Amino acid sequence: MITTEELYKHYLKNPVISTDTRNISEGCIFFALKGDNFNANEFAEQAIEKGASFVVIDEDNFAVSSKCLVVNDVLSTLQDLARHHRKQLNIPVIGLTGSNGKTTSKELINAVLAERYKTFATFGNLNNHIGVPLSILSITDDAEIAIIEMGANHQKEIELLCTIAQPTHGIITNVGMAHLDGFGGFEGVKKGKAELYSYLKKINGYTFINRNNDFLLEMSAAAGLTKLIYYGTENGNTIKGSLKSSDPFIEVDWTNHDDSTSVKTNLTGSYNFENILAAICIGDFFDMEAEEINRGLANYQPKNNRSQLTKTERNTVICDFYNANPSSMSAALTNISTLTADKKIAILGDMFELGPESETQHQLIAEQAFNSDLDEIIFIGKYFYAFKKSSKGTFFETPAEAANYLKANKITDALVLLKGSRGMKLESLLEYL
């Protein structure tokens, strides 16, 4: 069996990791991971033929050449290699998690810090037990600060990811009604996210906290954190901010110990105000000037269908369908209610991974939608469809049925909120709007 130190020597010669034979680059190391429906050990020979310098496998019978490195478990080996690489990096690593706004916050923090520093940030949403080690192994020697996003859908997952990313600084954006099934309810969500606080306490790291969030204050106190940097809307915070405008784009006034300034962003959704404040707070902590911070925020362009305002030929669409849970869905409905438009329409898809809470949470969102300032509401998915007989609105079981309706009933000159869980694939409806 090859040791982590020996494998690391191979990695240093060509520090590129692949877990997919469709993305093999010359000289990379291929890790043959297993899933519920696949066993990449079977593709070891193919990876070598495509140019991999080595393949890491955990089944002897697939060792077709000396380029096959046999280990006990490929996944744990990948994680151990990432831990070893992380220990060689003498830089601040900001660990970031939360129920909502993780990726947007990560992108905003990176946009700010990159105005002065050579940064690394998690690509896309590579934020799980595979994505985090891949992210760590992508950090190069010239990086000065890293921002690592950590996602979780059950307890002990953040704890594991912290052992890999080994953050020196951390932030929980918020805690909300997300992945309730895996976490075992809202209290389980709080406990799971607080694993980041526990890690930071253990290493005496720095924590950035939204002082307006009572749950985060409670969790940080329970963890016994001492190196706290606060942001929020009241005096006494390192960064104090106020929402100047959010119709349709967010403009923020903010103050630190030296400056009072404002910044206009390209983000929509008042719920992103706290994500912007977090990025300001972290930039300020790392000694950035207000002008640099504002430039990073002003230049950031949202993408990946998160709080993304898109102009189509007929409408203005709030593309927020990358994912959804009751907390983010409620915030999105509150936001569209505050925006100015002659006609406002919400197209809402089912929210997944809510377990026993699913019926209640879908009903609460439906009721909020009915009480919002909306001209039309379209619900899609089996969970929302269950309320068809007792509720007003237009209901469809599938996006395909909704697409047929939108073809026959064209929406024009409207502000449209398009939001649902990733599995609903609501992006398929954009062409009909």
Side-chain angles (χ1 to χ4, degrees):
M1 296 286 177
I2 189 169
T3 66
T4 300
E5 290 76 12
E6 291 169 333
L7 182 57
Y8 191 65
K9 290 177 182 177
H10 292 309
Y11 161 83
L12 289 176
K13 291 176 183 176
N14 193 351
V16 178
I17 304 297
S18 175
T19 59
D20 189 333
T21 52
R22 293 170 296 184
N23 300 315
I24 295 289
S25 60
E26 189 71 30
C28 74
I29 301 176
F30 176 73
F31 278 75
L33 296 171
K34 294 175 181 175
D36 293 335
N37 301 308
F38 67 91
N39 178 2
N41 280 271
E42 298 172 359
F43 302 106
E45 187 172 8
Q46 183 184 128
I48 293 170
E49 290 172 353
K50 286 189 169 187
S53 59
F54 293 97
V55 296
V56 180
I57 60 175
D58 50 19
E59 295 184 22
D60 289 341
N61 53 308
F62 291 104
V64 295
S65 79
S66 59
K67 291 186 175 182
C68 294
L69 308 175
V70 182
V71 298
N72 285 323
D73 180 79
V74 171
L75 175 59
S76 61
T77 298
L78 176 66
Q79 293 170 342
D80 285 342
L81 184 66
R83 290 185 184 97
H84 187 78
H85 181 56
R86 171 65 186 94
K87 288 175 182 175
Q88 319 309 312
L89 300 169
N90 187 25
I91 60 171
V93 173
I94 302 167
L96 183 151
T97 191
S99 297
N100 300 304
K102 287 188 298 296
T103 300
T104 298
S105 293
K106 177 256 299 182
E107 295 291 339
L108 287 168
I109 293 165
N110 186 48
V112 167
L113 293 175
E115 288 294 319
R116 176 177 290 197
Y117 300 99
K118 171 70 175 178
T119 62
F120 172 87
T122 299
F123 179 75
N125 66 330
L126 288 173
N127 62 13
N128 64 6
H129 61 296
I130 297 171
V132 168
L134 290 175
S135 294
I136 294 296
L137 287 165
S138 297
I139 302 176
T140 53
D141 289 342
D142 59 346
E144 296 175 299
I145 299 178
I147 308 105
I148 300 296
E149 181 181 334
M150 297 186 288
N153 56 21
H154 58 269
Q155 291 176 37
K156 298 297 183 181
E157 191 166 5
I158 296 296
E159 181 181 277
L160 168 69
L161 299 181
C162 283
T163 70
I164 299 169
Q166 300 164 36
T168 55
H169 303 67
I171 179 171
I172 301 175
T173 58
N174 50 54
V175 285
M177 308 291 280
H179 304 295
L180 296 179
D181 196 18
F183 278 113
F186 181 62
E187 288 302 314
V189 174
K190 289 166 59 180
K191 186 175 180 182
K193 298 300 182 185
E195 289 164 14
L196 174 57
Y197 285 170
S198 297
Y199 180 86
L200 292 169
K201 170 62 177 177
K202 183 171 65 176
I203 62 132
N204 198 28
Y206 291 90
T207 309
F208 304 98
I209 295 186
N210 178 2
R211 209 171 203 154
N212 292 100
N213 191 309
D214 290 337
F215 293 128
L216 298 181
L217 294 178
E218 170 197 329
M219 291 156 58
S220 64
L225 295 171
T226 54
K227 289 185 176 179
L228 302 170
I229 304 95
Y230 292 105
Y231 59 94
T233 58
E234 304 297 329
N235 291 326
N237 295 308
T238 299
I239 297 296
K240 175 188 174 183
S242 60
L243 184 61
K244 187 175 182 179
S245 175
S246 61
D247 192 3
F249 297 111
I250 299 176
E251 189 169 357
V252 173
D253 290 331
W254 63 274
T255 303
N256 64 5
H257 45 279
D258 294 322
D259 300 283
S260 292
T261 183
S262 64
V263 58
K264 188 170 185 178
T265 74
N266 296 299
L267 276 168
T268 189
S270 55
Y271 46 84
N272 276 309
F273 166 64
E274 60 189 36
N275 300 330
I276 292 167
L277 273 194
I280 293 170
C281 185
I282 291 173
D284 179 79
F285 177 85
F286 285 102
D287 298 321
M288 295 185 66
E289 300 292 338
E291 182 181 347
E292 295 174 300
I293 293 170
N294 285 349
R295 187 166 61 242
L297 292 171
N299 290 337
Y300 172 70
Q301 295 287 343
K303 50 189 181 295
N304 298 328
N305 302 313
R306 294 177 174 92
S307 305
Q308 189 174 336
L309 205 65
T310 299
K311 296 275 190 181
T312 70
E313 290 183 6
R314 300 195 308 272
N315 302 289
T316 299
V317 183
I318 302 173
C319 295
D320 200 5
F321 46 80
Y322 185 82
N323 219 334
N325 57 55
S327 301
S328 66
M329 189 76 87
S330 177
L333 285 169
T334 299
N335 178 65
I336 193 173
S337 296
T338 66
L339 299 181
T340 302
D342 292 334
K343 187 196 303 183
K344 291 190 274 192
I345 296 171
I347 303 176
L348 309 178
D350 276 353
M351 302 170 290
F352 296 163
E353 296 184 60
L354 298 180
E357 286 284 317
S358 184
E359 181 179 348
T360 299
Q361 294 304 321
H362 280 85
Q363 183 173 6
L364 289 172
I365 291 300
E367 290 172 355
Q368 181 180 347
F370 298 142
N371 293 322
S372 299
D373 179 24
L374 296 169
D375 296 284
E376 184 179 1
I377 310 165
I378 298 172
F379 296 98
I380 306 171
K382 65 178 183 179
Y383 296 117
F384 277 130
Y385 196 81
F387 302 108
K388 180 179 180 180
K389 292 182 180 179
S390 60
S391 304
K392 55 186 177 179
T394 306
F395 290 80
F396 301 100
E397 287 190 279
T398 68
E401 293 173 5
N404 289 331
Y405 171 83
L406 292 173
K407 284 184 208 173
N409 302 272
K410 291 191 184 327
I411 295 173
T412 58
D413 301 320
L415 176 65
V416 183
L417 169 65
L418 187 59
K419 186 165 181 67
S421 278
R422 184 72 196 91
M424 290 302 297
K425 299 181 179 177
L426 294 188
E427 65 272 15
S428 63
L429 302 181
L430 193 56
E431 65 178 293
Y432 308 112
L433 298 173

